[in-house]
Amino acid sequence: MKISYNWLQSHIELKESPEEVAEKLTQAGLEVEHIEEVFLYKGKKLHNPLDGLVIGEVLTCEKHPNADKLSKTTVDIGGKIVPIVCGASNVAQGQKVVVATVGATLFPTEQEPFSIKKAKIRGEESEGMICAEDEIGLGNSHEGIIVLETQLSNGTAAKEYFGIEKDYVIEIGLTPNRVDAASHLGVARDLSVLLQKTRKSIELLPKDFFKEKCPIHIDVQDTQACLRYAGLWIGKIMVKDSPNWLKNRLKAIGLHPINNIVDATNYVLHHLGQPLHAFDASKITNQKIIVKKLSQETKFTTLDGVEHNLSPKDLMICDDISPLAIAGVFGGLNSGIGSDTTSIFIESAYFQPDSIRKTAQLQGLKTDASFRFERGTDPNMPVVALQMIAKLLGEIADASDFSEIIDFYPNKIENFRINVSYKNITRLIGKELDKNFIKSTLKGLEIDILEEKEDNLWLSVPPYRVDVQREADIIEEILRIYGFNNIEVKDSLNASFLASFPKIDKFQLQNQLTALLADNGFNEIITNSLTKPLYADTLKHINTNENVVILNKLSEELEVLRQSLVFSGLEVIAYNLNRKQKDLKIFEFGKTYKKIADMGNVTEKYKESNTLAIFLTGNKQAETWQENSQKSDFHTLANIVDKVLRKLGVRQFDKVPVEAHTLAYGLAYQREKYVFATLGELQSYILKTADLKQNVFYAELDWDYLVACYHNEHTYQEIPKFPEVKRDLSLVLDKHISYQEIEKQAFILEKKLLKKMNIFSVFEGEQLGKGKKSYAISFFLQDENQTLTDNQIDKVMQKLIEGFRNSFGAIIRD
């Protein structure tokens, strides 16, 4: 949110610098992100305040001896006469002109900046430049130099003649709870307390000024969404350009001036925080304003020319026949102010915040008005805003024939009543504050003290402070004005309670796993949890009835919460492949969501799970002079998954073939038949959703389960003193038998001496026979107490061979 320093002066007299003001605001919770110095001229931002430009007088002007289209002049620039060669056809003796002196930098309207230097032009000295309008950024005209009608002395700064206004724009990172500060009045409220200054009163027309009967009839049919609706009719008005001071105010904060009526509504909005909307009164059919909701799929075209399909939940401002505006969001094309408008109706309302928020999101419209309405405006401000704009339009639009102000307000919104004790103020702040300071702070924040007792206060909080409804909120208000940095840090720290900390810090654990994966060449991604419903339809093992559908969806593309991380990862891969990045190793810690059925005593309707997803595609390493590039494969993925599990201390589990849903082939890791990880190559039909043509290997781990299984206890043992022995076997087996089955059976057959196994070759071919394959496996044997003899080794290997023959029908190849 942008605030003008000059504009703030209309609310509070400031002698403090913009930097000092920014520091005060930041300490009070309105964090200032940036301060920009701006220079304004007739509603335009200039790049500089015309530094180095002065008023000069042409003393002599004659034709350049060496160029037909140039003139040779001498110019008095105040105490100094300089020669200047000028190319303008309208330059003449006796003129008052704008002169850019040597060293000045010019910022032309449509060209790059340039600096003025001493020069020789066709053999003649030139020490400056007589300027045209576009050459100094004041307009677009280049027909000739600017000729001034002024009595100002030569050498006077040009910015003094043109009335360049200097301002500072203070940009505040406004948090959602502080909508009360979304205006110059709101910021001035805080400053008046922080600087202990009195705010200036708002100049308004008296209520008895508005005497004429309003010809517009107001009918509020939806009193739940529209709690207050006020309106003012003005019978005579002139639409024209706004005065320069108003244009400068709006331009400083980034708004584009349109005409005096629209500019006046924007001015009041940013002055008071109350949105207004002006209708051309002649376009209101039968002079009726009806506030209601319309039927499904009603068409409505907004001021920007875009047609919208309305929802039955959208509150609309209508006349007797058709809709005129989306309440609190955007006006309609057919009822807006035009150059031929002579009478207007101005609405000023308080709409229910949830209603405006839902409509703005549903229609994809974000405006200055909806920003405020959906967070909660001041219900006491609508009539004040109408009184202010009436006075303003009388000055800048020749407005007359003001009607009475119509104010529909059936149920007044009361102030919040809060009880706060001095004891709790001291307890939460950590320091006892003076009671007079507390009471003066509350008064400055427009929080009234209804009743004061020795140990507590009963307070009345105005309804525009939507973030102050509890005792803790009041204490926070006192603390932010006192200053967080004014609370001294004691030598010893204590707390009024002792929190119980879990043994496992899952975020620290996640950081450790992130470091592990990064050390192995992986990059972390963070993707959107909102996704396409088409993705859930694609996965064969996902029930689409369990989709969590967003009620206030932003678009059809972002309609549901994801049940799997696979598609968001594939989108990242596709994005990189399209940019020639083909070798990818990425991972994501993300959430998945699904709807669960109501099972009597189960009160939760949705389930949120944490998942670790790992993706591999392309080469696992780049080609170098030492070795060729190698393709990523299933074993590359399995290796990194095993590293993750070892890091978490998860060692004892079963490996079984994965069901062919998401993966074409792969493994599922399980404990007691619960699958906590799956890994393998993704099915081609899934890759098609991201238009991928190269293989992608994918692992999905249940992060919640792994955190629960984690233990960081380490056991140590002495390094064996006796050597290990390796023996190799080549087994011919039926094709459907997996290596995991062989490994499991081997450790059942030999529990003492067999320490580990390694598969180093897999072969399939016609010479083995149909439906057969061959595994070449290394077996590592070791006894911690003695050196193994050949006899012991042979017995173990024979036991394994017989076991494989009996269990799998294996044939041992020589």
Side-chain angles (χ1 to χ4, degrees), residues 161-183:
Y161 172 83
F162 289 109
I164 305 300
E165 181 181 353
K166 179 181 177 180
D167 198 357
Y168 294 91
V169 178
I170 302 170
E171 190 163 352
I172 297 173
L174 195 67
T175 52
N177 63 312
R178 289 302 309 275
V179 68
D180 65 289
S183 66

PDB file of all heavy atoms in Angstrom, residues 161-183:
ATOM      1  N   TYR A 161       9.034  27.955 -11.758  1.00  0.00           N
ATOM      2  CA  TYR A 161       8.037  28.451 -12.715  1.00  0.00           C
ATOM      3  C   TYR A 161       6.956  27.408 -12.974  1.00  0.00           C
ATOM      4  O   TYR A 161       5.763  27.716 -12.985  1.00  0.00           O
ATOM      5  CB  TYR A 161       8.724  28.829 -14.036  1.00  0.00           C
ATOM      6  CG  TYR A 161       7.739  29.158 -15.139  1.00  0.00           C
ATOM      7  CD1 TYR A 161       7.176  30.419 -15.231  1.00  0.00           C
ATOM      8  CD2 TYR A 161       7.357  28.194 -16.076  1.00  0.00           C
ATOM      9  CE1 TYR A 161       6.249  30.726 -16.229  1.00  0.00           C
ATOM     10  CE2 TYR A 161       6.442  28.482 -17.078  1.00  0.00           C
ATOM     11  CZ  TYR A 161       5.889  29.748 -17.133  1.00  0.00           C
ATOM     12  OH  TYR A 161       4.972  30.034 -18.112  1.00  0.00           O
ATOM     13  N   PHE A 162       7.362  26.147 -13.180  1.00  0.00           N
ATOM     14  CA  PHE A 162       6.391  25.103 -13.534  1.00  0.00           C
ATOM     15  C   PHE A 162       5.641  24.549 -12.322  1.00  0.00           C
ATOM     16  O   PHE A 162       4.670  23.811 -12.477  1.00  0.00           O
ATOM     17  CB  PHE A 162       7.100  23.951 -14.261  1.00  0.00           C
ATOM     18  CG  PHE A 162       7.548  24.309 -15.652  1.00  0.00           C
ATOM     19  CD1 PHE A 162       8.892  24.477 -15.937  1.00  0.00           C
ATOM     20  CD2 PHE A 162       6.626  24.485 -16.666  1.00  0.00           C
ATOM     21  CE1 PHE A 162       9.314  24.804 -17.209  1.00  0.00           C
ATOM     22  CE2 PHE A 162       7.034  24.812 -17.951  1.00  0.00           C
ATOM     23  CZ  PHE A 162       8.379  24.981 -18.219  1.00  0.00           C
ATOM     24  N   GLY A 163       6.072  24.913 -11.120  1.00  0.00           N
ATOM     25  CA  GLY A 163       5.374  24.420  -9.926  1.00  0.00           C
ATOM     26  C   GLY A 163       5.544  22.927  -9.714  1.00  0.00           C
ATOM     27  O   GLY A 163       4.571  22.223  -9.390  1.00  0.00           O
ATOM     28  N   ILE A 164       6.747  22.426  -9.910  1.00  0.00           N
ATOM     29  CA  ILE A 164       7.009  20.998  -9.702  1.00  0.00           C
ATOM     30  C   ILE A 164       6.813  20.666  -8.220  1.00  0.00           C
ATOM     31  O   ILE A 164       7.401  21.297  -7.347  1.00  0.00           O
ATOM     32  CB  ILE A 164       8.435  20.621 -10.141  1.00  0.00           C
ATOM     33  CG1 ILE A 164       8.682  21.046 -11.600  1.00  0.00           C
ATOM     34  CG2 ILE A 164       8.671  19.124  -9.960  1.00  0.00           C
ATOM     35  CD1 ILE A 164       7.754  20.422 -12.595  1.00  0.00           C
ATOM     36  N   GLU A 165       5.970  19.683  -7.956  1.00  0.00           N
ATOM     37  CA  GLU A 165       5.701  19.285  -6.574  1.00  0.00           C
ATOM     38  C   GLU A 165       6.576  18.099  -6.188  1.00  0.00           C
ATOM     39  O   GLU A 165       6.602  17.081  -6.870  1.00  0.00           O
ATOM     40  CB  GLU A 165       4.225  18.890  -6.400  1.00  0.00           C
ATOM     41  CG  GLU A 165       3.876  18.491  -4.971  1.00  0.00           C
ATOM     42  CD  GLU A 165       2.428  18.072  -4.807  1.00  0.00           C
ATOM     43  OE1 GLU A 165       1.643  18.220  -5.771  1.00  0.00           O
ATOM     44  OE2 GLU A 165       2.085  17.584  -3.720  1.00  0.00           O
ATOM     45  N   LYS A 166       7.266  18.267  -5.078  1.00  0.00           N
ATOM     46  CA  LYS A 166       8.105  17.190  -4.556  1.00  0.00           C
ATOM     47  C   LYS A 166       7.335  16.447  -3.476  1.00  0.00           C
ATOM     48  O   LYS A 166       6.719  17.036  -2.607  1.00  0.00           O
ATOM     49  CB  LYS A 166       9.396  17.768  -3.979  1.00  0.00           C
ATOM     50  CG  LYS A 166      10.347  16.747  -3.367  1.00  0.00           C
ATOM     51  CD  LYS A 166      11.563  17.453  -2.805  1.00  0.00           C
ATOM     52  CE  LYS A 166      12.515  16.497  -2.125  1.00  0.00           C
ATOM     53  NZ  LYS A 166      13.696  17.182  -1.574  1.00  0.00           N
ATOM     54  N   ASP A 167       7.367  15.109  -3.555  1.00  0.00           N
ATOM     55  CA  ASP A 167       6.633  14.296  -2.587  1.00  0.00           C
ATOM     56  C   ASP A 167       7.473  13.054  -2.272  1.00  0.00           C
ATOM     57  O   ASP A 167       8.446  12.737  -2.963  1.00  0.00           O
ATOM     58  CB  ASP A 167       5.271  13.890  -3.137  1.00  0.00           C
ATOM     59  CG  ASP A 167       4.296  13.426  -2.058  1.00  0.00           C
ATOM     60  OD1 ASP A 167       4.693  13.360  -0.875  1.00  0.00           O
ATOM     61  OD2 ASP A 167       3.135  13.122  -2.402  1.00  0.00           O
ATOM     62  N   TYR A 168       7.078  12.358  -1.212  1.00  0.00           N
ATOM     63  CA  TYR A 168       7.700  11.086  -0.858  1.00  0.00           C
ATOM     64  C   TYR A 168       6.582  10.040  -0.757  1.00  0.00           C
ATOM     65  O   TYR A 168       5.579  10.268  -0.076  1.00  0.00           O
ATOM     66  CB  TYR A 168       8.445  11.178   0.476  1.00  0.00           C
ATOM     67  CG  TYR A 168       9.641  12.091   0.437  1.00  0.00           C
ATOM     68  CD1 TYR A 168       9.506  13.438   0.762  1.00  0.00           C
ATOM     69  CD2 TYR A 168      10.891  11.610   0.065  1.00  0.00           C
ATOM     70  CE1 TYR A 168      10.605  14.288   0.723  1.00  0.00           C
ATOM     71  CE2 TYR A 168      11.994  12.453   0.030  1.00  0.00           C
ATOM     72  CZ  TYR A 168      11.842  13.793   0.350  1.00  0.00           C
ATOM     73  OH  TYR A 168      12.924  14.628   0.299  1.00  0.00           O
ATOM     74  N   VAL A 169       6.774   8.931  -1.436  1.00  0.00           N
ATOM     75  CA  VAL A 169       5.810   7.839  -1.385  1.00  0.00           C
ATOM     76  C   VAL A 169       6.334   6.787  -0.429  1.00  0.00           C
ATOM     77  O   VAL A 169       7.426   6.236  -0.629  1.00  0.00           O
ATOM     78  CB  VAL A 169       5.566   7.235  -2.788  1.00  0.00           C
ATOM     79  CG1 VAL A 169       4.583   6.068  -2.691  1.00  0.00           C
ATOM     80  CG2 VAL A 169       5.017   8.307  -3.718  1.00  0.00           C
ATOM     81  N   ILE A 170       5.551   6.527   0.617  1.00  0.00           N
ATOM     82  CA  ILE A 170       5.922   5.546   1.640  1.00  0.00           C
ATOM     83  C   ILE A 170       5.146   4.271   1.367  1.00  0.00           C
ATOM     84  O   ILE A 170       3.915   4.263   1.432  1.00  0.00           O
ATOM     85  CB  ILE A 170       5.603   6.083   3.053  1.00  0.00           C
ATOM     86  CG1 ILE A 170       6.355   7.406   3.295  1.00  0.00           C
ATOM     87  CG2 ILE A 170       5.938   5.062   4.118  1.00  0.00           C
ATOM     88  CD1 ILE A 170       5.928   8.130   4.551  1.00  0.00           C
ATOM     89  N   GLU A 171       5.860   3.204   1.032  1.00  0.00           N
ATOM     90  CA  GLU A 171       5.199   1.935   0.713  1.00  0.00           C
ATOM     91  C   GLU A 171       5.192   1.034   1.944  1.00  0.00           C
ATOM     92  O   GLU A 171       6.237   0.693   2.489  1.00  0.00           O
ATOM     93  CB  GLU A 171       5.902   1.241  -0.451  1.00  0.00           C
ATOM     94  CG  GLU A 171       5.127   0.045  -0.975  1.00  0.00           C
ATOM     95  CD  GLU A 171       5.588  -0.400  -2.346  1.00  0.00           C
ATOM     96  OE1 GLU A 171       6.408   0.303  -2.971  1.00  0.00           O
ATOM     97  OE2 GLU A 171       5.119  -1.458  -2.795  1.00  0.00           O
ATOM     98  N   ILE A 172       3.975   0.659   2.359  1.00  0.00           N
ATOM     99  CA  ILE A 172       3.795  -0.129   3.577  1.00  0.00           C
ATOM    100  C   ILE A 172       3.375  -1.547   3.206  1.00  0.00           C
ATOM    101  O   ILE A 172       2.467  -1.737   2.392  1.00  0.00           O
ATOM    102  CB  ILE A 172       2.719   0.515   4.484  1.00  0.00           C
ATOM    103  CG1 ILE A 172       3.178   1.908   4.936  1.00  0.00           C
ATOM    104  CG2 ILE A 172       2.423  -0.357   5.696  1.00  0.00           C
ATOM    105  CD1 ILE A 172       2.130   2.687   5.691  1.00  0.00           C
ATOM    106  N   GLY A 173       4.039  -2.539   3.798  1.00  0.00           N
ATOM    107  CA  GLY A 173       3.633  -3.936   3.619  1.00  0.00           C
ATOM    108  C   GLY A 173       2.483  -4.233   4.578  1.00  0.00           C
ATOM    109  O   GLY A 173       2.693  -4.764   5.668  1.00  0.00           O
ATOM    110  N   LEU A 174       1.284  -3.892   4.166  1.00  0.00           N
ATOM    111  CA  LEU A 174       0.121  -3.965   5.054  1.00  0.00           C
ATOM    112  C   LEU A 174      -0.273  -5.412   5.293  1.00  0.00           C
ATOM    113  O   LEU A 174      -0.490  -6.179   4.355  1.00  0.00           O
ATOM    114  CB  LEU A 174      -1.052  -3.206   4.436  1.00  0.00           C
ATOM    115  CG  LEU A 174      -2.225  -2.875   5.359  1.00  0.00           C
ATOM    116  CD1 LEU A 174      -1.786  -1.868   6.419  1.00  0.00           C
ATOM    117  CD2 LEU A 174      -3.387  -2.318   4.562  1.00  0.00           C
ATOM    118  N   THR A 175      -0.358  -5.800   6.565  1.00  0.00           N
ATOM    119  CA  THR A 175      -0.800  -7.158   6.904  1.00  0.00           C
ATOM    120  C   THR A 175      -2.322  -7.234   6.821  1.00  0.00           C
ATOM    121  O   THR A 175      -3.017  -6.222   6.991  1.00  0.00           O
ATOM    122  CB  THR A 175      -0.320  -7.534   8.319  1.00  0.00           C
ATOM    123  OG1 THR A 175      -0.706  -6.496   9.237  1.00  0.00           O
ATOM    124  CG2 THR A 175       1.191  -7.683   8.353  1.00  0.00           C
ATOM    125  N   PRO A 176      -2.886  -8.436   6.559  1.00  0.00           N
ATOM    126  CA  PRO A 176      -4.339  -8.547   6.329  1.00  0.00           C
ATOM    127  C   PRO A 176      -5.200  -8.051   7.486  1.00  0.00           C
ATOM    128  O   PRO A 176      -6.333  -7.630   7.269  1.00  0.00           O
ATOM    129  CB  PRO A 176      -4.531 -10.058   6.106  1.00  0.00           C
ATOM    130  CG  PRO A 176      -3.213 -10.549   5.631  1.00  0.00           C
ATOM    131  CD  PRO A 176      -2.190  -9.712   6.330  1.00  0.00           C
ATOM    132  N   ASN A 177      -4.685  -8.085   8.717  1.00  0.00           N
ATOM    133  CA  ASN A 177      -5.498  -7.691   9.861  1.00  0.00           C
ATOM    134  C   ASN A 177      -5.600  -6.174  10.035  1.00  0.00           C
ATOM    135  O   ASN A 177      -6.430  -5.696  10.794  1.00  0.00           O
ATOM    136  CB  ASN A 177      -4.911  -8.295  11.145  1.00  0.00           C
ATOM    137  CG  ASN A 177      -3.513  -7.779  11.435  1.00  0.00           C
ATOM    138  OD1 ASN A 177      -2.659  -7.762  10.554  1.00  0.00           O
ATOM    139  ND2 ASN A 177      -3.265  -7.347  12.656  1.00  0.00           N
ATOM    140  N   ARG A 178      -4.767  -5.402   9.327  1.00  0.00           N
ATOM    141  CA  ARG A 178      -4.733  -3.956   9.551  1.00  0.00           C
ATOM    142  C   ARG A 178      -5.404  -3.177   8.441  1.00  0.00           C
ATOM    143  O   ARG A 178      -4.881  -2.188   7.930  1.00  0.00           O
ATOM    144  CB  ARG A 178      -3.285  -3.487   9.732  1.00  0.00           C
ATOM    145  CG  ARG A 178      -2.605  -3.903  11.019  1.00  0.00           C
ATOM    146  CD  ARG A 178      -3.334  -3.435  12.267  1.00  0.00           C
ATOM    147  NE  ARG A 178      -3.634  -2.020  12.257  1.00  0.00           N
ATOM    148  CZ  ARG A 178      -2.788  -1.060  12.639  1.00  0.00           C
ATOM    149  NH1 ARG A 178      -1.588  -1.386  13.070  1.00  0.00           N
ATOM    150  NH2 ARG A 178      -3.155   0.210  12.603  1.00  0.00           N
ATOM    151  N   VAL A 179      -6.620  -3.585   8.072  1.00  0.00           N
ATOM    152  CA  VAL A 179      -7.343  -2.843   7.043  1.00  0.00           C
ATOM    153  C   VAL A 179      -7.694  -1.449   7.521  1.00  0.00           C
ATOM    154  O   VAL A 179      -7.939  -0.541   6.716  1.00  0.00           O
ATOM    155  CB  VAL A 179      -8.612  -3.625   6.610  1.00  0.00           C
ATOM    156  CG1 VAL A 179      -9.633  -3.658   7.736  1.00  0.00           C
ATOM    157  CG2 VAL A 179      -9.230  -3.023   5.352  1.00  0.00           C
ATOM    158  N   ASP A 180      -7.727  -1.226   8.842  1.00  0.00           N
ATOM    159  CA  ASP A 180      -8.006   0.114   9.367  1.00  0.00           C
ATOM    160  C   ASP A 180      -6.940   1.113   8.939  1.00  0.00           C
ATOM    161  O   ASP A 180      -7.184   2.331   8.932  1.00  0.00           O
ATOM    162  CB  ASP A 180      -8.074   0.071  10.897  1.00  0.00           C
ATOM    163  CG  ASP A 180      -6.738  -0.300  11.522  1.00  0.00           C
ATOM    164  OD1 ASP A 180      -6.331  -1.467  11.407  1.00  0.00           O
ATOM    165  OD2 ASP A 180      -6.090   0.584  12.100  1.00  0.00           O
ATOM    166  N   ALA A 181      -5.748   0.617   8.580  1.00  0.00           N
ATOM    167  CA  ALA A 181      -4.657   1.492   8.158  1.00  0.00           C
ATOM    168  C   ALA A 181      -4.542   1.585   6.640  1.00  0.00           C
ATOM    169  O   ALA A 181      -3.546   2.103   6.130  1.00  0.00           O
ATOM    170  CB  ALA A 181      -3.335   1.003   8.748  1.00  0.00           C
ATOM    171  N   ALA A 182      -5.553   1.107   5.904  1.00  0.00           N
ATOM    172  CA  ALA A 182      -5.502   1.104   4.438  1.00  0.00           C
ATOM    173  C   ALA A 182      -5.995   2.434   3.870  1.00  0.00           C
ATOM    174  O   ALA A 182      -6.787   2.475   2.927  1.00  0.00           O
ATOM    175  CB  ALA A 182      -6.330  -0.054   3.885  1.00  0.00           C
ATOM    176  N   SER A 183      -5.546   3.516   4.450  1.00  0.00           N
ATOM    177  CA  SER A 183      -5.907   4.853   3.982  1.00  0.00           C
ATOM    178  C   SER A 183      -4.961   5.841   4.649  1.00  0.00           C
ATOM    179  O   SER A 183      -4.261   5.517   5.612  1.00  0.00           O
ATOM    180  CB  SER A 183      -7.357   5.198   4.346  1.00  0.00           C
ATOM    181  OG  SER A 183      -7.509   5.287   5.750  1.00  0.00           O
TER     182      SER A 183
END
